[in-house]
Amino acid sequence: MTTSNKISTRQRNRINGYLFLLPNIIGFAIFTFIPVFMSLIISFSDWDGFSEMNFIGLGNYIRLFSDHVFLVSLKNTLIYTLGSVPFIILFALLVAVALNQGIRGVKFFRAAFFIPHVTAALAIAAVWQLLYHPTVGPINNVLMSLGMDNPPLWLSSSSYAMLAVIIMTIWKRMGYFMVMFLAGLQGIPEVLYEAADIDGASKFRKFIHITVPMLSPVMFFSCIMAIIQSFKVFSEIYALTQGGPGYATNVLVYNIYIEAFDNFNFGYASAQSYILFIIILVVTLLQFRGQKKWVNY
């Protein structure tokens, strides 16, 4: 075979590769890249979706710093993230370790913990609204039977509404990360535990010095995904509280939705979206920078 034929075959394979990728590239351009780029342009305007677009420079971004509702939603998003992510990771890890011990019915428990993740948020919210009901809800009935005279009003209370959403979120999302931890646990070489047994290591020391370091790549990925999901939370808030009572559970993405599709301030909503994008980008970059100190590959 001549050199020209080899180059021709190589080029033909490359073209075939690009042709296979073309549908995905077109879809990405139409449904992701162009809308994201357009939202950047809209963020510098006062466009309401109907009238002519007027560019106002950095007006929308300057307005954010004096917008009480935006600042409250930003604070609520941070509270939600800090209150949910550590517990999602912790409980997912503990459940995965327990299921990895070869207990009976492991397939049933694995499915039981994973089902909430794939169940529609509206259906889950309907169940938890009943659980949180202040008078007939099972949770308050249990608390009153234990001697609590004035149990929390949960979703009706500005003090407890965010806690109620966080509890539901932990229950809903930990199954997804449990599956990842379980896969990571099954990839740890058994010889490491056998060596530790010979040295007389306890179960706790094996967990700290073998399981945790070997799971650190999975843990790092889980932390990134959990934080991004928490900053983007919408369906749980929309289905359970719709940002209330007052602004107690009003988070950034829900506030963006209200500004865009209730108030028709698409320019202002786009500016908030880019602030959210910058926050997620910075947090993710910080995580990648810090992972060198604790992730073992």
Side-chain angles (χ1 to χ4, degrees):
M1 186 178 290
T2 63
T3 305
S4 59
N5 285 337
K6 287 183 180 177
I7 292 173
S8 176
T9 303
R10 205 173 292 162
Q11 287 176 337
R12 191 165 52 248
N13 289 338
R14 189 174 298 169
I15 291 171
N16 289 336
Y18 283 126
L19 287 176
F20 277 112
L21 289 173
L22 190 60
N24 191 39
I25 293 173
I26 293 174
F28 175 79
I30 294 175
F31 297 109
T32 302
F33 180 75
I34 294 175
V36 168
F37 181 70
M38 287 301 298
S39 68
L40 177 62
I41 296 174
I42 293 171
S43 71
F44 296 106
S45 75
D46 61 354
W47 191 51
D48 61 4
F50 302 101
S51 58
E52 188 177 348
M53 188 185 299
N54 298 312
F55 287 95
I56 57 174
L58 295 174
N60 285 327
Y61 292 93
I62 295 172
R63 178 184 165 190
L64 290 174
F65 294 99
S66 58
D67 185 347
H68 172 70
V69 177
F70 170 76
L71 295 176
V72 168
S73 66
L74 177 60
K75 185 186 76 172
N76 287 340
T77 304
L78 294 175
I79 292 173
Y80 175 84
T81 301
L82 293 173
S84 62
V85 171
F87 292 102
I88 289 173
I89 299 299
L90 177 64
F91 291 145
L93 176 60
L94 294 178
V95 171
V97 170
L99 293 181
N100 197 46
Q101 302 303 311
I103 61 175
R104 280 188 176 183
V106 62
K107 291 183 180 178
F108 168 78
F109 289 113
R110 193 165 52 199
F113 281 108
F114 189 71
I115 282 175
H117 173 71
V118 296
T119 305
L122 288 175
I124 287 178
V127 173
W128 279 87
Q129 282 174 340
L130 177 62
L131 294 175
Y132 283 136
H133 195 282
T135 55
V136 299
I139 295 176
N140 276 5
N141 284 338
V142 170
L143 293 176
M144 286 189 285
S145 68
L146 295 174
M148 183 179 285
D149 295 329
N150 298 306
L153 297 179
W154 299 112
L155 301 177
S156 304
S157 166
S158 57
S159 302
Y160 287 94
M162 181 58 80
L163 176 62
V165 175
I166 288 174
I167 291 173
M168 187 194 79
T169 300
I170 294 171
W171 173 81
K172 182 178 186 299
R173 293 188 179 176
M174 72 174 187
Y176 172 74
F177 297 103
M178 178 269 297
V179 171
M180 287 198 288
F181 281 130
L182 202 53
L185 286 169
Q186 293 172 357
I188 299 176
E190 194 63 30
V191 65
L192 297 177
Y193 294 106
E194 292 172 357
D197 288 334
I198 293 173
D199 291 339
S202 64
K203 288 186 177 180
F204 180 74
R205 291 181 70 84
K206 285 190 285 186
F207 177 76
I208 295 297
H209 296 291
I210 297 176
T211 305
V212 173
M214 294 300 289
L215 273 182
S216 57
V218 180
M219 212 172 290
F220 172 61
F221 175 77
S222 299
C223 287
I224 287 180
M225 294 303 296
I227 290 175
I228 291 175
Q229 288 177 0
S230 296
F231 273 109
K232 290 168 53 184
V233 60
F234 173 76
S235 57
E236 290 87 348
I237 299 294
Y238 179 81
L240 202 60
T241 64
Q242 298 198 337
Y247 294 110
T249 58
N250 192 44
V251 293
L252 269 180
V253 175
Y254 186 76
N255 197 53
I256 291 169
Y257 167 79
I258 293 295
E259 287 291 344
F261 299 105
D262 273 13
N263 301 333
F264 297 103
N265 292 326
F266 285 96
Y268 192 49
S270 297
Q272 293 188 28
S273 301
Y274 270 90
I275 294 296
L276 176 61
F277 167 73
I278 292 170
I279 292 172
I280 292 175
L281 179 64
V282 170
V283 171
T284 304
L285 289 177
L286 288 175
Q287 285 182 290
F288 270 96
R289 188 176 179 82
Q291 56 98 16
K292 297 176 184 175
K293 298 180 180 176
W294 64 278
V295 178
N296 301 295
Y297 291 105

